[in-house]
Amino acid sequence: SEEKTLQYAKCVQDAGAQVLTVHGRTRDEKGPEAPLADWDLIQKVKAHVSIPVISNGNVVSFDDIAACLQHTKADAVMSAEWLRRNPAIFYGGENVCLFKMAREYIALVRRYPAGNGVVKNHLFKMLSSNPGGFNEHGDLRERLAMCFGLDEMEVVFEELAERRGPEPSYPTATHQDLLPKSQKAPDPDKAKSARAGRSDRERKGR
């Protein structure tokens, strides 16, 4: 409840915390039906404590940062899921090509190795919903999932980039993407692809 949330925030402060990060959802509000983060509650937490508060939730683009700070009165903003999809969210509002960032990420992994699962996940998140991304090339998405090392992943990535061509590919996320799955408008391209897939299966089954 709101009352317990405020009490807990105060207890954390009284226990010696010097900063508090608040994600505006409950532990049960997760998955495809998760609601928007509650900025109103974050604002109340901020007013209830005297230590700095960092707001988390609903930050999809650079413009959301100012909106969040104004609404919640928080001292700072953080992002998690959407920063994985667009590592340049905090880059002053400048659009940066996702393929350029992915190539830089691969170079960093060569210097600072990470587990295969982690790298695959980051590449997929970064290149899964943009023009020319894995969402448009299911065969490469499946190959990425089967990769056993960075060299193999880089080969798949470079093939994806080659298919895209020289045209930059920028993040396209909007607040529509934050809505629970049941409230989102249907994607006509995905519906068309699904119908085509069903037709192929039906033909093969004859």
Side-chain angles (χ1 to χ4, degrees):
S1 67
E2 178 180 312
E3 181 180 358
K4 287 185 177 180
T5 297
L6 297 178
Q7 288 177 351
Y8 185 69
K10 188 66 163 56
C11 285
V12 171
Q13 174 182 275
D14 292 345
Q18 296 182 327
V19 65
L20 181 64
T21 300
V22 183
H23 185 58
R25 296 187 183 93
T26 69
R27 68 176 66 183
D28 297 320
E29 293 175 339
K30 56 187 177 182
E33 291 302 320
L36 294 174
D38 189 345
W39 283 1
D40 290 334
L41 183 56
I42 296 175
Q43 182 185 37
K44 291 176 182 178
V45 171
K46 169 61 182 173
H48 195 68
V49 299
S50 58
I51 58 177
V53 170
I54 301 173
S55 178
N56 184 17
N58 301 357
V59 176
V60 174
S61 67
F62 182 76
D63 291 339
D64 293 330
I65 298 170
C68 180
L69 290 173
Q70 182 176 7
H71 189 115
T72 64
K73 312 304 180 188
D75 300 278
V77 171
M78 68 169 286
S79 179
E81 178 65 21
W82 294 99
L83 192 61
R84 295 170 69 195
R85 302 185 187 208
N86 176 17
I89 281 181
F90 293 101
Y91 196 54
E94 181 179 338
N95 270 331
V96 180
C97 177
L98 288 164
F99 284 93
K100 177 178 183 293
M101 288 190 284
R103 190 168 278 111
E104 291 178 359
Y105 172 67
I106 290 172
L108 285 171
V109 173
R110 290 202 178 280
R111 292 177 60 190
Y112 310 102
N116 286 340
V118 172
V119 180
K120 287 181 191 178
N121 193 272
H122 278 297
L123 287 174
F124 179 75
K125 288 288 186 181
M126 203 183 308
L127 298 167
S128 64
S129 58
N130 58 297
F134 286 114
N135 51 307
E136 298 177 9
H137 301 280
D139 61 320
L140 294 183
R141 182 175 63 243
E142 292 176 6
R143 281 175 53 191
L144 178 68
M146 299 299 293
C147 288
F148 287 101
L150 185 59
D151 289 341
E152 293 181 21
M153 292 183 224
E154 187 169 18
V155 169
V156 173
F157 164 73
E158 291 297 347
E159 186 169 336
L160 182 69
E162 184 177 352
R163 290 187 188 183
R164 173 62 180 175
E167 185 179 357
S169 182
Y170 299 119
T172 57
T174 67
H175 277 206
Q176 171 77 12
D177 298 299
L178 287 170
L179 295 175
K181 186 176 181 179
S182 60
Q183 297 180 22
K184 291 180 180 179
D187 186 325
D189 292 331
K190 288 184 179 179
K192 182 178 179 181
S193 176
R195 288 194 299 271
R198 285 196 299 270
S199 297
D200 288 341
R201 289 192 296 272
E202 289 169 359
R203 283 194 296 271
K204 292 177 180 178
R206 290 173 183 169

